[in-house]
Amino acid sequence: MMKEWATVVSWQQGVALLRCEPKAGCGSCHARSGCGARALNELVPETEHQLRVHIEQPLEPGQRIEVGIAEGSLLRSAMLVYLTPLIGMMLGGGLLQLWLGSDGAAAIGALVGGVGAFLLARRLARRLGEQDAYQPIVLQIGLPPTALRLQADNPLPH
């Protein structure tokens, strides 16, 4: 199970809008200088990801929630998003190269095959996104920000 903490932005009628903060790396080790994942994350500007999760318990903005998704679902999604266009490019380029026998035809075939496979992957991803196995689940709910208050009735002696 892949787990991540998120912050509640809003909660209305059983649906929570969550904000997931990006990490600077994978978190698996402390190799900051030689980490390829960290270097890639630094190239892309930091963005916040928003997520909608169905939960009946009322939540407050600022509350922290741990959400999770099955690793198998995550791997299948990644394969769909990355491998489908790659396979489309290779098939399209190879078929036009075989049919017309030129490098230009192979390049055009790769472009057409990649775009077509990308559109197919996008359509399949929408269908998969509706299935329960691909929906994040709530694992833990933190206390609301207003739940903890410190009150100093008896000041400490000096």
Side-chain angles (χ1 to χ4, degrees):
M1 176 80 52
M2 300 293 293
K3 302 173 185 177
E4 186 68 42
W5 282 92
T7 305
V8 175
V9 175
S10 66
W11 180 86
Q12 294 177 352
Q13 300 172 355
V15 177
L17 178 63
L18 306 176
R19 180 182 68 238
C20 300
E21 295 85 14
K23 290 185 177 181
C26 66
S28 295
C29 67
H30 298 288
R32 300 226 185 268
S33 62
C35 181
R38 182 175 176 85
L40 283 175
N41 283 337
E42 289 176 358
L43 291 175
V44 179
E46 289 191 28
T47 59
E48 293 180 351
H49 304 282
Q50 291 193 343
L51 179 66
R52 292 191 190 282
V53 176
H54 294 282
I55 181 168
E56 293 302 319
Q57 179 178 344
L59 301 170
E60 294 181 18
Q63 196 168 356
R64 302 280 290 164
I65 292 183
E66 185 180 31
V67 293
I69 189 166
E71 290 163 342
S73 300
L74 191 62
L75 288 174
R76 284 188 296 276
S77 297
M79 285 177 34
L80 175 70
V81 169
Y82 292 111
L83 287 181
T84 306
L86 181 63
I87 291 170
M89 287 177 65
M90 292 188 323
L91 283 175
L95 288 175
L96 273 185
Q97 170 72 31
L98 184 66
W99 185 41
L100 297 176
S102 72
D103 291 340
I108 291 171
L111 182 66
V112 170
V115 170
F118 172 77
L119 294 173
L120 175 67
R122 194 167 90 173
R123 175 180 246 165
L124 290 173
R126 283 189 187 133
R127 285 189 188 163
L128 288 177
E130 295 170 0
Q131 295 179 7
D132 287 339
Y134 292 88
Q135 296 297 319
I137 58 171
V138 176
L139 301 173
Q140 294 184 51
I141 301 174
L143 291 173
T146 58
L148 296 176
R149 293 187 188 146
L150 296 176
Q151 217 171 17
D153 291 337
N154 298 328
L156 296 174
H158 295 222

